[in-house]
Each structure stands twice: as structure tokens, then as C-alpha cells.
């Protein structure tokens, strides 16, 4: 009898990193895993290894386990021991990366690069501050003087310096959009001076901290107390802060952060990049002074690294920033708060495609910390968790600015057309726009989805002009150029239809540009500002447009979804929503949720000040439930209807979904590989009763000449999907010479 011993004797090797930094994750060393340790060594484990010439004991982390030696095994050293229950920021980072790899599918190296900060040696830079020279009153008079001369940037800065004796230079340039030359001119005029950090520290002790101007409401106080108590107790209780727009959620986050800091722990606050406006950032500076680190994408790598160092060295205990701020190296995380948690931007689009919400729960578990999800329109995921008791529900039901919820009306554009109204605005909206202009109040016009409406089609045969590389319709811009919004391809408008030759090949005119034009025709005296991806292309202009609308330099702001996100314009008393139903037609199971969110958030922009607000929703589908519930500001009603639909089709959160995306320059190759993957996983699919959709070409079949084929798996539980992914990964490893790229997306936010 021949006994095959090879299975039992196979040696296991571990790729280990000994220097935990972003730069060295590609540099691993292979060690033998002694058989007596094999059971205890996992990807992410901390181990002791002999290192270097003297074989000094060194701590390392396991990034990969394999039975393939990378070099001569007889010369390889062995792992000495496994370090159990390793703690600290490094161990957290490795553990989080290992979790990401497992959950979302990527290499350990890609996952580590996501969670570790990039080191960039920066020349010691002096921290600069802009300080006002005179008194607050003098600054106010200077502001008026500059305003009269239409020197907006100067006026903007001086206005802020009425309230604050000094401002960080970065804040002034990046968020207030006042450049260095302007500051220099003001310096010459004797209005301000620039100081470097050292001088600043002795001259002006710190940015003056201002206490809250108002007491917290009872609801706010209770919500904050519940969370702070849980954090102090280290209970690991998690919360959903469901507060209508304008109910003061930001104030609650700050109160929680303050109490958490007082109890000796640290707070992470995630905010969508787009909401990190000057106003928001300033509120945090005022409250936490230098103890807060603000991270945003406009920071240079060096600045970002500095922020991480400050956190690591205990110089900051509150961090606020977008998704990636989650990876701030804090030793004592007490609370992680996610504002506008329903925002799709919390899901990463790069590998690993993690969702910040799930990563936050994972990280919190290492510290017995609490997670707070905040939103006026919670994601179905969050509300479902609250229903199941996995999140404690905290409600904020009142608006605190004195304003009431706006009065919402829905106008049916089909009826308007029947009445002979061919303009972009319903009669009601036109009348209200005029009324606001007369009263000197501000209005916002929100056009649902840019691009989608700008396509050019033939009125005779229906032919649509498409990008030759991306298979999406081209958008017509001023001057008649046709542009692809995926790849930037441009061409001139054709003189006739390429298919039938008809002259009537025209743009479907409903971009923000056309809205602006229509407003100007209706109200020639109105000052109109427009904000969309075109007008904000320059890095600076986004905040600039917002600041100038805030300062009442315009009467009407026209824009896409960009204008609806969390901005507080007290003077806005009218919001018009055009083409409310356009986003319902998107080919995506979240279309109903997106539409409801957008409409609710947009409506919430009205009446944030003392005066009541009015909202007009224009639509061709007034009977759709997303529109009906948004008009009624009825989240619960919407949730009931939407969750029933998700349950029925087993879409998240009533199940999980794994997308396998195959990319290739050859369409057939992509389709073939997708089919092969499907065939390979068939036994598992049968055994675990997984639902399969596809493979099929993606909705947008190709982008930049790369074809995209997608396969979806659905199941109530995660586990079978993880097994399917592993099986696919094994299969792909066998076919390592392939040219196609395969990416995984667990619970995708967008179906491609
Ligand atoms: P949300 O994030 O819930 O939409 P914000 O936190 O932006 O709301 O607050 C909306 C407005 O209410 C802000 O102008 C804020 O200054 C104000 N506010 C917050 N809390 C209070 C309070 N307790 N009393 C009075 N005004 C408040
Ligand atoms: Zn035609
Ligand atoms: Zn293109």
C-alpha cells in the first residue's frame, strides 16, 4: 500500500512585513511556518521573526500564506512565535486590512495601502495664519468699503475677520477662496497681517474658541447624552441619528465629540467631501481649536501625513474628513460618526471597494467604540439595522432655526403641457420665482441629473448620437459641441442625421445651462448663479459659488445634485425641483431610494431661516411612490414600500449581492471569461442555492474602448458569496496568463 503523505507534510510559508508603512508593503520577507504554529497563523497575525544579520527578534505581520516557496526553503528562517491579542494602531490597521481583503476581495497589499497613510517628507513648513489688524468694527467697515468697490474676495475675508480675530491660512485659501495676492494687498492696506506659527503661538494664543451661541434643544441634548454614556461605558452600542433636515445633527456630533474627548477618548467624524464647506469646517475649528484635524482631498500628501502624525502623537483627538479619515491612527477611538450616511460616496470605487459604514463597525469593534450613523434619509441598510435592534434609534423631529418644514407641492408637467404651457417652469413655479425676486428672497432651482437630459437625437428616426468609445449618449454643449462625459471625447454637431439624413437632429434641451437661460428670459433682472460639473471644474469654484450665493451676491442658484447637499442658506425660501422623475429611469435597483433622497434633501433646503419655505416638485410621474413620499416628507412610508420591493427581489439590505466584472478590450474574450467563471462556480451555486444573473454586457457596454461584462450573484447571507469569490479567485490564479481584468464588488452601490 502506498501512502501519500504529501498532503500532511506540505510546508506552509508566510510572507511577512516587518516595517509597517505604506511604502514598504510591497517588500515582504518569506518565512517558514513551523507545523506546530500553523493552526495559529492567519493573514494579519502578528508574529516574532529573526531578522537581519544578527537574527534579532523582530515583530512582523503576515500578509500572505502560501505553499509555494519564493526562494530556497533550506535557507529560509522560521517564525519564532505568534503574538496573541496584539493592540495598537499598527495592529488595528493590519486587522482592518485583513478584514477588507476577506470581505471585499482584493490583495492584502492593496488593502494595506488603503488603510496606511502615505509618508511624504515635507520641508518644515511654517503654519501661517491671517490675523486682522484692527478691531472687529474696523474690519466690518473695511468689508463694507470693499463691497462697495465690488472687491468680493477682500470683502469676504474681512467679513469673516469681524467674527474671528485670526484664521488659518489654508482655510482662507482653500475654503474661502481668497488667494495670496489678495491677502498681500490687504496687508499693504494695513487691514491684516500674516504670521507664521511660532510667532502666532506667542502673539495670539490660539484661534479663539467660541462657545455655542444657543443651548442644545432637549432632543439634541438627550441624543448626545445617550451616545456619550455608551462611549464612556465602552458598551459598543451603535446608533442611528434620524433627524429631519435642519434639525441640528452637526451640533449633536460636536457635543458628542466634546464629551468623548473629555472622557479621554477620540472621535472620528466622517462627512461627504462635498459638505466640507467653509461653514462646517469653521464650526469645528471654533469648537475644538487645534485639537481637531481636518482632512480633505485638497490637502497635499504631506499635509495629510502631518494630520496623521498629529493624531498618532496625541496632538489631535477629533478628526473630521471624508471616507479615508476613518484610517486616522487613533489609539483610543471612542466614537465614529458618519454624517449623511446614505451618501453613495462612502463606498470606495477603487479596490478594495469597501463601504465606510461597514468598515466603521469593524474598526469600532476593536475599541468597544460606538458608531453613530446620521441622516435625514437613512439608507435602507441603516434603517433595517435599527428595526432589527442592531442600532438604537435617536430621533430629531424639530427644526431649530425657527423655520418650519416647507410647504411642498407637486405639479404634473403633462397637465401643464395640456394647458399650453411649453416652458420649463410650471405656472406655479414661475409665479413663485417672481414673487421671491420682488421680496428680495433667494431661490434655488435643482435640476435632477445632469447629462442624462442633454442628449441629441433625431426627431425623424430616433437615432441618438453616441460616443464611439463608451456607448453612452453624447451631451450637447453651448456652441454645439457634443461631449462624452465618461471619456471627454468631443465632436461637432452633425449637419444631418447620420442614419436617415433628416435635418431635425436636435438636443433635448434640459441641462442646467438651459435652465439658466430660461430663468433669464423669465426674469431678466435676476442675478443667477449656476453650479454643475462644468462650472465647478476649476478646483476653487465650488466653494466660491456657494460663498457668493451665501453672501447674497445672487438671487437664484441653478444646479445639479451638487447644490442639495447639506448647505445652509437661511435666505432661501423657494426650491424648485425640475425633472424630479428623471433619476427614476436609471437602470439600478437603488433608483427609487436615490430619487427619494435627492428630493427630500432638496426640499430641505427651503425655509432654513426664519421665513417659511415653499417647494415645487415638477414631474411627469406624480403617482410614483418615491415622489409621493418625498413630497409628504414621509421617510417611514417610503421605507415600508421600498423594503418590500428589496425583500421581494432579494436586493440589499434584504440579501447580499456580489458583482463580478470582467473587463477586456476584446468583447468576445470578456463574454467568454464571464461564462467560464459562471460554469466554474455552478456546483457551489447549486449547493448553496445562490441566485445568478447574467453574465451580460454592462449597461454601459464599453468605456474608453474597454468592454465590460457583468455577472451578479445574490444570496441572503454573505458567506456563500465569499465562497464563490474565493472559488473564482482560485480559478483566475490558474489562468494567470489572461489579459482580461476581473474585479469584484460586494453589495455594489451602482450596477454598471
Ligand atoms: P442638520 O445637519 O440636521 O441639517 P445643522 O446641524 O446644520 O442641521 O443645523 C441647522 C441649523 O440649526 C444651523 O444653522 C444651526 O446653527 C442651527 N442650530 C443647531 N442647533 C441649534 C439649537 N440648539 N438652537 C438653535 N439653532 C440651532
Ligand atoms: Zn434620423
Ligand atoms: Zn467616451
Amino acid at each position: 500500500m502506498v501512502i501519500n503523505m504529501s498532503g500532511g507534510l506540505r510546508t506552509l510559508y508566510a510572507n511577512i512585513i516587518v516595517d509597517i508603512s505604506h511604502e514598504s508593503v510591497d517588500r515582504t520577507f518569506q518565512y517558514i511556518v513551523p507545523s506546530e504554529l500553523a493552526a495559529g497563523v492567519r493573514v494579519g497575525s502578528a508574529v516574532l521573526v529573526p531578522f537581519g544579520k544578527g537574527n534579532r527578534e523582530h515583530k512582523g505581520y503576515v500578509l500572505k500564506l502560501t505553499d509555494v516557496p519564493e526562494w530556497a526553503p533550506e535557507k529560509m528562517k522560521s517564525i519564532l512565535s505568534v503574538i496573541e491579542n496584539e493592540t495598537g494602531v499598527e495592529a488595528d490597521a493590519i486587522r482592518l486590512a485583513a478584514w477588507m481583503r476577506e470581505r471585499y476581495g482584493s490583495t492584502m497589499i492593496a488593502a494595506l495601502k488603503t488603510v496606511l497613510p502615505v509618508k511624504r517628507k515635507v520641508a518644515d513648513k511654517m503654519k501661517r495664519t491671517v490675523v486682522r489688524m484692527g478691531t472687529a468694527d474696523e474690519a466690518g467697515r473695511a468689508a463694507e468699503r470693499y463691497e462697495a468697490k465690488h472687491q468680493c474676495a477682500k470683502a469676504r475675508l474681512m467679513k469673516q475677520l469681524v467674527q474671528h480675530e485670526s484664521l488659518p491660512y489654508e482655510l482662507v485659501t482653500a475654503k474661502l477662496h481668497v488667494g495670496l495676492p489678495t491677502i498681500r494687498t490687504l496687508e499693504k492696506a494695513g487691514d491684516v497681517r500674516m504670521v507664521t506659527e511660532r510667532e502666532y503661538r506667542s502673539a495670539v494664543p490660539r484661534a479663539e474658541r467660541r462657545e455655542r451661541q444657543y443651548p442644545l434643544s432637549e432632543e439634541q441634548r438627550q441624543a448626545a447624552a445617550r451616545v456619550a454614556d455608551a462611549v464612556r461605558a465602552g458598551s459598543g452600542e451603535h446608533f442611528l441619528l434620524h433627524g429631519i433636515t435642519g434639525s441640528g445633527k452637526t451640533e449633536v456630533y460636536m457635543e458628542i465629540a466634546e464629551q468623548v474627548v473629555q472622557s479621554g477618548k477620540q472621535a472620528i467624524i466622517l462627512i461627504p467631501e462635498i459638505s466640507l464647506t467653509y461653514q462646517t469646517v469653521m464650526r469645528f475649528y471654533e469648537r475644538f481649536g487645534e485639537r481637531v484635524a481636518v482632512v480633505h482631498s485638497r490637502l497635499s500628501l504631506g499635509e495629510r501625513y502631518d494630520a496623521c502624525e498629529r493624531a498618532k502623537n496625541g496632538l489631535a483627538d477629533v478628526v473630521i474628513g471624508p471616507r479615508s479619515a476613518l484610517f486616522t491612527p487613533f489609539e483610543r477611538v471612542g466614537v465614529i460618526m458618519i454624517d449623511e450616511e446614505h451618501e453613495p460616496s462612502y463606498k470606495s470605487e477603487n479596490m478594495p471597494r469597501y463601504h465606510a459604514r461597514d468598515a466603521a463597525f469593524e474598526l469600532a469593534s476593536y475599541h468597544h467604540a460606538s458608531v453613530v450613523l446620521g441622516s435625514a434619509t437613512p439608507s435602507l441598510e441603516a434603517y433595517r439595522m435599527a428595526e432589527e435592534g442592531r442600532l438604537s434609534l435617536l430621533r430629531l423631529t424639530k427644526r431649530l432655526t425657527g423655520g418650519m418644514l416647507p410647504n411642498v407641492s407637486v405639479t404634473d408637467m403633462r397637465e401643464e403641457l395640456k394647458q399650453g404651457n411649453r416652458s420649463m417652469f410650471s405656472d406655479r413655479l414661475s409665479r413663485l420665482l417672481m414673487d421671491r425676486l420682488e421680496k428680495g428672497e433667494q431661490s434655488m432651482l435643482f435640476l435632477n441629473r445632469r447629462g442624462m437630459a442633454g442628449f441629441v437625437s433625431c426627431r425623424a428616426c430616433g437615432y441618438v448620437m453616441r460616443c464611439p468609445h463608451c456607448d453612452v449618449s453624447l451631451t450637447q454643449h453651448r456652441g454645439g459641441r457634443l461631449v462624452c462625459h465618461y471619456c471627454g471625447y468631443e465632436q461637432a454637431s452633425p449637419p444631418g442625421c447620420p442614419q436617415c439624413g433628416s435635418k431635425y437632429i436636435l438636443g433635448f434641451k434640459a441641462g442646467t445651462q438651459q435652465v439658466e437661460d430660461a430663468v433669464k428670459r423669465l426674469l431678466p433682472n435676476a442675478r443667477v448663479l449656476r453650479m454643475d460639473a462644468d462650472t465647478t471644474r476649476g478646483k476653487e469654484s465650488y466653494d466660491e459659488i456657494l460663498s457668493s450665493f451665501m453672501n447674497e451676491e445672487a438671487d437664484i442658484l441653478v444646479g445639479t445634485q451638487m447644490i442639495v447637499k447639506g448647505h445652509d442658506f437661511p435666505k432661501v425660501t423657494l426650491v424648485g425641483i425640475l425633472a424630479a422623475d428623471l433619476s427614476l429611469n436609471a437602470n439600478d435597483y437603488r433608483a427609487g431610494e436615490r430619487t427619494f433622497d435627492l428630493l427630500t434633501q432638496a426640499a430641505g433646503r427651503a425655509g432654513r431661516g426664519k421665513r417659511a419655505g415653499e417647494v415645487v416638485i415638477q414631474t411627469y410621474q406624480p403617482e410614483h411612490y418615491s415622489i409621493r413620499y418625498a413630497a409628504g416628507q414621509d421617510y417611514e412610508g417610503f421605507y415600508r414600500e421600498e423594503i418590500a420591493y428589496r425583500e421581494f427581489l432579494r436586493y440589499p439590505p434584504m440579501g447580499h449581492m456580489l458583482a463580478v466584472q470582467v473587463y477586456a478590450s476584446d468583447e468576445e474574450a470578456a463574454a467568454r471569461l464571464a461564462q467560464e467563471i459562471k460554469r466554474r462556480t455552478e456546483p457551489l451555486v447549486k449547493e448553496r442555492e445562490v441566485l445568478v444573473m447574467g453574465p451580460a454586457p454592462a449597461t454601459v457596454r464599453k468605456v474608453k474602448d474597454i468592454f465590460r461584462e457583468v455577472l451578479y450573484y445574490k444570496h441572503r447571507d454573505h458567506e456563500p458569496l465569499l465562497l464563490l469569490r474565493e472559488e473564482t479567485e482560485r480559478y483566475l490564479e490558474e489562468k494567470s496568463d489572461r489579459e482580461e481584468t476581473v474585479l469584484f464588488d460586494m453589495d455594489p452601490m451602482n450596477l454598471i
Side-chain angles (χ1 to χ4, degrees):
M1 198 168 71
V2 181
I3 302 175
N4 184 351
M5 300 280 288
S6 70
L9 286 181
R10 247 194 352 220
T11 313
L12 198 57
Y13 305 93
N15 292 13
I16 289 177
I17 109 171
V18 289
D19 169 26
I20 321 304
S21 71
H22 188 105
E23 291 66 29
S24 65
V25 296
D26 295 309
R27 230 176 40 240
T28 57
F29 303 90
Q30 206 170 47
Y31 286 82
I32 294 170
V33 183
S35 55
E36 68 274 16
L37 294 184
V41 174
R42 254 167 259 117
V43 171
S45 294
V47 293
L48 274 184
V49 292
F51 190 72
K53 282 256 160 55
N55 276 339
R56 294 240 316 268
E57 276 189 18
H58 216 290
K59 188 172 80 182
Y61 288 93
V62 177
L63 296 198
K64 186 177 170 185
L65 288 167
T66 170
D67 49 21
V68 185
E70 277 171 8
W71 49 291
E74 60 279 8
K75 289 192 195 152
M76 229 183 268
K77 301 172 194 171
S78 292
I79 294 177
L80 300 172
S81 62
V82 180
I83 311 174
E84 302 288 347
N85 303 323
E86 178 69 0
T87 57
V89 293
E90 275 179 5
D92 285 351
I94 304 268
R95 225 174 132 186
L96 194 58
W99 170 83
M100 259 184 202
R101 181 193 74 101
E102 161 101 23
R103 164 104 178 209
Y104 298 101
S106 81
T107 62
M108 187 65 185
I109 287 175
L112 266 180
K113 284 191 169 164
T114 305
V115 305
L116 292 174
V118 178
K119 197 179 295 182
R120 221 13 95 81
K121 196 67 207 138
V122 272
D124 273 344
K125 199 182 61 181
M126 288 296 162
K127 192 178 157 197
R128 289 183 287 188
T129 311
V130 181
V131 183
R132 83 166 176 246
M133 291 297 281
T135 62
D137 286 345
E138 282 164 352
R141 279 194 295 277
E144 279 165 23
R145 223 169 38 240
Y146 291 125
E147 196 139 62
K149 287 193 248 167
H150 298 289
Q151 300 180 335
C152 295
K154 287 184 191 167
R156 202 151 61 225
L157 176 56
M158 292 317 292
K159 253 190 214 169
Q160 289 302 320
L161 286 171
V162 173
Q163 292 161 38
H164 311 282
E165 206 177 331
S166 65
L167 293 166
Y169 173 75
E170 281 76 25
L171 191 70
V172 171
T173 51
K175 291 287 169 189
L176 207 56
H177 300 289
V178 178
L180 185 59
T182 308
I183 301 174
R184 290 287 179 220
T185 323
L186 286 171
E187 212 169 18
K188 288 213 187 87
D191 291 316
V192 305
R193 71 198 165 99
M194 286 258 280
V195 277
T196 59
E197 172 138 11
R198 218 163 287 140
E199 187 188 348
Y200 160 64
R201 279 223 165 120
S202 49
V204 194
R206 77 195 344 259
E208 75 274 40
R209 267 176 71 149
R210 297 207 300 173
E211 295 306 316
R212 269 196 313 278
Q213 295 124 315
Y214 34 70
L216 290 183
S217 72
E218 191 50 26
E219 280 182 334
Q220 286 175 313
R221 201 189 54 72
Q222 282 187 12
R226 279 281 303 278
V227 177
D229 286 345
V231 173
R232 271 187 289 268
S235 67
E237 183 181 359
H238 302 311
F239 301 88
L240 172 58
L241 181 63
H242 183 194
I244 58 169
T245 51
S247 60
K249 292 185 288 295
T250 311
E251 211 63 48
V252 175
Y253 303 137
M254 291 201 280
E255 179 67 21
I256 292 169
E258 184 147 349
Q259 293 194 31
V260 165
V261 168
Q262 271 163 15
S263 71
K265 294 184 181 171
Q266 295 152 323
I268 297 173
I269 305 166
L270 304 187
I271 289 196
E273 176 88 38
I274 205 160
S275 316
L276 271 173
T277 56
Y278 173 79
Q279 299 160 10
T280 312
V281 174
M282 201 60 224
R283 276 164 86 179
F284 280 86
Y285 272 133
E286 280 176 7
R287 192 73 175 268
F288 297 101
E290 289 168 358
R291 306 296 299 177
V292 64
V294 179
V295 189
H296 54 84
S297 66
R298 286 193 204 139
L299 291 184
S300 67
L301 285 177
E303 287 167 326
R304 224 180 287 195
Y305 188 72
D306 282 351
C308 280
E309 284 295 289
R310 281 209 293 142
K312 215 177 190 165
N313 301 332
L315 292 176
D317 21 41
V318 178
V319 67
I320 163 169
R323 196 173 67 214
S324 61
L326 189 60
F327 310 125
T328 306
F330 275 153
E331 294 249 358
R332 304 176 311 278
V333 181
V335 68
I336 304 168
M337 301 186 262
I338 306 184
D339 186 35
E340 311 277 351
E341 62 81 30
H342 62 278
E343 273 294 303
S345 65
Y346 283 120
K347 178 129 199 244
S348 171
E349 286 177 349
N350 306 319
M351 295 297 274
R353 291 176 173 163
Y354 70 95
H355 197 297
R357 191 196 302 124
D358 297 323
F361 284 119
E362 175 68 17
L363 179 64
S365 73
Y366 308 163
H367 296 265
H368 308 288
S370 289
V371 174
V372 179
L373 304 178
S375 178
T377 53
S379 63
L380 276 267
E381 281 77 2
Y383 211 74
R384 173 78 187 154
M385 285 179 77
E387 270 199 328
E388 293 175 334
R390 290 191 284 149
L391 298 178
S392 307
L393 190 55
L394 305 169
R395 282 183 207 275
L396 300 179
T397 56
K398 300 187 189 71
R399 276 202 162 180
L400 296 173
T401 45
M404 288 165 303
L405 275 180
N407 175 28
V408 185
S409 57
V410 177
T411 55
D412 184 342
M413 293 311 278
R414 295 170 304 192
E415 286 301 316
E416 295 283 325
L417 196 64
K418 270 193 210 151
Q419 310 294 324
N421 177 5
R422 306 178 132 263
S423 93
M424 211 175 271
F425 310 121
S426 60
D427 271 348
R428 184 178 170 76
L429 185 54
S430 303
R431 268 186 287 114
L432 288 171
L433 279 169
M434 284 187 242
D435 171 71
R436 295 310 191 257
L437 189 63
E438 271 165 29
K439 288 192 193 143
E441 296 174 8
Q442 290 183 304
S443 304
M444 289 169 87
L445 289 174
F446 160 57
L447 178 70
N448 190 6
R449 262 195 124 107
R450 150 190 191 264
M452 258 181 92
F455 64 91
V456 176
S457 63
C458 171
R459 300 291 145 92
C461 76
Y463 181 85
V464 175
M465 293 298 295
R466 291 176 166 274
C467 171
H469 309 290
C470 301
D471 194 38
V472 291
S473 51
L474 294 171
T475 305
Q476 191 164 43
H477 281 228
R478 176 153 286 177
R481 308 280 310 162
L482 303 182
V483 179
C484 168
H485 281 298
Y486 275 80
C487 74
Y489 168 87
E490 266 194 60
Q491 70 171 71
S493 288
C497 171
Q499 185 162 285
C500 74
S502 158
K503 279 186 304 196
Y504 296 98
I505 180 152
L506 303 166
F508 185 87
K509 289 213 172 22
T512 44
Q513 174 94 61
Q514 284 74 31
V515 178
E516 185 183 352
D517 295 347
V519 173
K520 285 183 175 153
R521 275 196 302 276
L522 181 70
L523 305 165
N525 297 325
R527 295 166 303 163
V528 187
L529 272 174
R530 175 164 70 96
M531 176 146 86
D532 59 24
D534 290 330
T535 57
T536 57
R537 194 138 292 160
K539 270 192 170 180
E540 312 278 284
S541 39
Y542 173 73
D543 284 285
E544 209 166 87
I545 294 172
L546 290 180
S547 305
S548 97
F549 190 57
M550 188 75 189
N551 291 336
E552 294 176 70
E553 289 159 27
D555 306 300
I556 300 172
L557 176 62
V558 175
T560 53
Q561 25 272 62
M562 281 185 183
I563 65 173
V564 311
K565 301 285 162 65
H567 307 297
D568 208 2
F569 301 111
K571 298 276 160 49
V572 171
T573 57
L574 172 64
V575 170
I577 302 173
L578 313 178
D581 41 87
L582 216 50
S583 55
L584 286 174
N585 305 326
N587 172 20
D588 194 318
Y589 73 95
R590 288 181 199 267
E593 182 179 2
R594 290 268 161 77
T595 305
F596 177 83
D597 289 353
L598 272 173
L599 300 190
T600 310
Q601 303 273 352
R605 295 306 116 204
R608 310 266 286 190
K610 300 267 180 289
R611 274 161 294 196
E614 190 91 41
V615 178
V616 179
I617 297 179
Q618 298 192 164
T619 175
Y620 291 90
Q621 301 177 53
E623 63 288 345
H624 191 283
Y625 68 93
S626 288
I627 294 188
R628 273 191 295 116
Y629 288 120
Q633 306 260 310
D634 177 4
Y635 177 82
E636 283 271 340
F638 168 75
Y639 173 80
R640 294 275 150 250
E641 200 141 331
E642 181 72 14
I643 201 82
Y645 152 74
R646 303 276 177 98
E647 167 87 53
F648 184 63
L649 291 171
R650 222 187 272 174
Y651 277 122
M654 303 314 286
H656 292 284
M657 191 165 179
L658 172 69
V660 179
Q661 303 161 352
V662 181
Y663 296 73
S665 51
D666 174 359
E667 187 171 17
E668 271 175 36
R672 211 178 314 118
L673 183 59
Q675 276 300 346
E676 282 167 22
I677 292 172
K678 182 177 182 176
R679 204 169 308 128
R680 168 77 172 233
T681 54
E682 223 148 52
L684 237 149
V685 162
K686 283 229 177 71
E687 188 194 320
R688 307 304 288 261
E689 295 179 33
V690 175
L691 288 177
V692 191
M693 306 184 329
T699 311
V700 180
R701 202 173 100 249
K702 67 172 166 170
V703 170
K704 298 184 189 169
D705 287 321
I706 299 290
F707 289 89
R708 321 187 311 167
E709 195 83 8
V710 212
L711 183 60
Y712 292 104
Y713 297 100
K714 285 194 288 188
H715 196 273
R716 196 161 275 286
D717 305 319
H718 248 130
E719 198 235 341
L721 300 182
L722 293 185
L723 293 176
L724 279 165
R725 199 195 66 222
E726 277 167 18
E727 181 67 17
T728 308
E729 279 169 342
R730 261 194 298 279
Y731 172 62
L732 294 173
E733 217 156 287
E734 289 164 22
K735 280 187 59 113
S736 54
D737 59 336
R738 78 202 132 78
E739 278 173 21
E740 305 85 3
T741 304
V742 177
L743 297 181
F744 301 99
D745 198 351
M746 184 60 98
D747 293 339
M749 295 299 280
N750 301 302
L751 305 189
I752 67 163

